[in-house]
């Protein structure tokens, strides 16, 4: 896979008269947890969708796991797991049935599937509710189930788009602990989040994107020091401004 699990080179994505991603370049080292931060409509989800092969960039180049996403998309898909911003769950199935469906999509053998299923449901606090229909789940439970589905096939590179949105503090902390475990296993995690304390606590490096442009890229500690503030939220406010903006 090489030193870099993810490479983005001068990527532009235009939607009619809107430039959602504007000449973005960055690299994510294999085995690190990288956070992409930005206001609503800044281009975070568009960037994730380009990296996953769901959107084609207008220009530029992206590679994941050493493979060009556009040219070798099938190889990329075998390496990645994706938890999208919108919960990818089937409400009229139970939690366990959702997991089984995704396990079958990845053609997991019976023993591997059972081991992964039981571990993930336990770690994300869903074992007792696995036989309930997902339509009865809270928003936070659906979010945790979406993470289980993204990880059932044991991917090497994981994309998490707002993974803890809608969770209570206890559930969020449990997910934080689990993400730390993923990093210890050598997984590469690329996440977006609106929770600055989450990024500060978890991420090795963060990028801040605003109006489609990458305006900062460093470790949380260095960004805090260079901007003369006390925490990453203050960095974020300083660089992106305080005014309420329209979403793109």
């Amino acid at each position: 896979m090489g030193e870099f699990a993810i490479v983005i080179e001068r990527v532009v994505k235009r939607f009619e008269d809107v430039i959602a991603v504007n000449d973005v370049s960055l690299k994510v080292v294999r085995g690190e947890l990288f956070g992409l931060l930005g206001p609503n409509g800044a281009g975070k989800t568009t960037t994730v969708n380009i990296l996953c092969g769901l959107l084609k960039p207008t220009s530029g180049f992206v590679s994941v796991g050493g493979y060009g996403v556009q040219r070798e998309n099938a190889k990329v898909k075998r390496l990645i797991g994706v938890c999208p911003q919108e919960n990818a769950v089937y409400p009229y199935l139970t939690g366990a049935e959702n997991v089984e469906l995704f396990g079958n999509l990845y053609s997991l053998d019976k023993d591997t599937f059972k081991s992964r299923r039981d571990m993930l449901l336990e770690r994300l606090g869903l074992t007792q509710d696995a036989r309930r229909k997902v339509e009865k789940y809270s928003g936070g439970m659906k979010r945790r189930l979406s993470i289980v589905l993204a990880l059932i096939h044991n991917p090497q590179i994981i994309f998490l788009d707002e993974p803890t949105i809608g969770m209570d503090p206890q559930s969020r902390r449990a997910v934080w602990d689990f993400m730390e475990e993923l990093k210890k296993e050598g997984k590469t995690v690329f996440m977006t989040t609106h929770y600055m304390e989450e990024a500060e606590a978890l991420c090795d490096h963060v990028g801040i994107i605003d109006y489609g442009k990458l305006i900062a890229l460093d470790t949380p500690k260095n960004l805090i020091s260079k901007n003369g503030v006390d925490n990453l939220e203050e960095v974020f406010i300083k660089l992106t401004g305080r005014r309420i903006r329209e979403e793109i």
Side-chain angles (χ1 to χ4, degrees):
M1 187 183 294
E3 179 184 1
F4 298 110
I6 298 168
V7 176
I8 305 174
E9 295 180 351
R10 307 206 65 176
V11 165
V12 174
K13 180 60 182 178
R14 184 188 298 272
F15 295 100
E16 297 181 355
D17 60 341
V18 174
I19 301 177
V21 179
N22 190 355
D23 198 26
V24 167
S25 296
L26 62 86
K27 295 179 180 179
V28 178
V29 174
R30 180 163 53 93
E32 82 167 333
L33 201 161
F34 181 88
L36 187 63
L37 317 177
N40 289 335
K44 302 185 302 297
T45 295
T46 300
T47 300
V48 170
N49 287 341
I50 290 171
L51 288 168
C52 297
L54 298 175
L55 284 176
K56 184 177 179 180
T58 305
S59 62
F61 172 78
V62 290
S63 71
V64 173
Y67 301 111
V69 172
Q70 294 303 312
R71 297 193 305 267
E72 301 172 285
N73 191 249
K75 293 179 180 178
V76 170
K77 286 182 177 178
R78 285 196 288 269
L79 288 176
I80 68 173
V82 183
C83 177
Q85 193 174 67
E86 299 295 328
N87 292 320
V89 296
Y90 292 90
Y92 299 111
L93 299 178
T94 66
E97 287 168 342
N98 269 274
V99 180
E100 183 173 3
L101 174 61
F102 275 70
N104 289 335
L105 288 175
Y106 289 109
S107 301
L108 299 181
D109 67 74
K110 185 176 180 180
D111 290 341
T112 299
F113 168 73
K114 185 177 184 303
S115 175
R116 292 287 298 171
R117 178 199 64 193
D118 292 351
M119 181 275 291
L120 290 168
L121 290 175
E122 176 66 26
R123 289 297 292 113
L124 289 162
L126 291 170
T127 301
Q128 293 184 344
D129 296 290
R131 302 299 169 184
R132 291 174 59 199
K133 286 190 175 182
V134 173
E135 63 183 348
K136 304 293 185 181
Y137 281 17
S138 67
M141 291 170 68
K142 290 176 183 176
R143 203 76 197 117
R144 282 182 276 143
L145 181 60
S146 290
I147 296 173
V148 171
L149 302 183
L151 299 177
I152 189 62
H153 58 301
N154 198 21
Q156 294 302 303
I157 301 171
I158 302 155
F159 294 97
L160 304 175
D161 196 356
E162 302 285 351
T164 62
I165 194 167
M167 290 185 187
D168 59 42
Q170 292 88 349
S171 295
R172 182 174 296 135
R173 179 62 64 173
V175 172
W176 286 16
D177 291 343
F178 185 56
M179 290 171 69
E180 291 280 14
E181 290 180 20
L182 292 173
K183 192 168 69 170
K184 289 177 182 177
E185 293 173 9
K187 309 292 189 186
T188 303
V189 181
F190 187 107
M191 66 178 288
T192 74
T193 181
H194 278 112
Y195 300 115
M196 296 300 110
E197 75 278 11
E198 182 168 272
E200 187 173 338
L202 294 175
C203 294
D204 299 296
H205 288 86
V206 298
I208 299 177
I209 190 171
D210 196 19
Y211 294 108
K213 293 192 72 69
L214 193 67
I215 60 173
L217 180 64
D218 210 328
T219 66
K221 183 177 179 180
N222 286 346
L223 285 173
I224 292 167
S225 176
K226 286 191 294 189
N227 284 277
V229 294
D230 294 326
N231 54 57
L232 193 57
E233 182 170 355
E234 291 181 14
V235 173
F236 184 84
I237 294 295
K238 181 177 180 179
L239 295 181
T240 64
R242 295 178 179 274
R243 71 180 181 86
I244 297 174
R245 59 191 72 205
E246 294 181 1
E247 296 185 20
I248 297 175

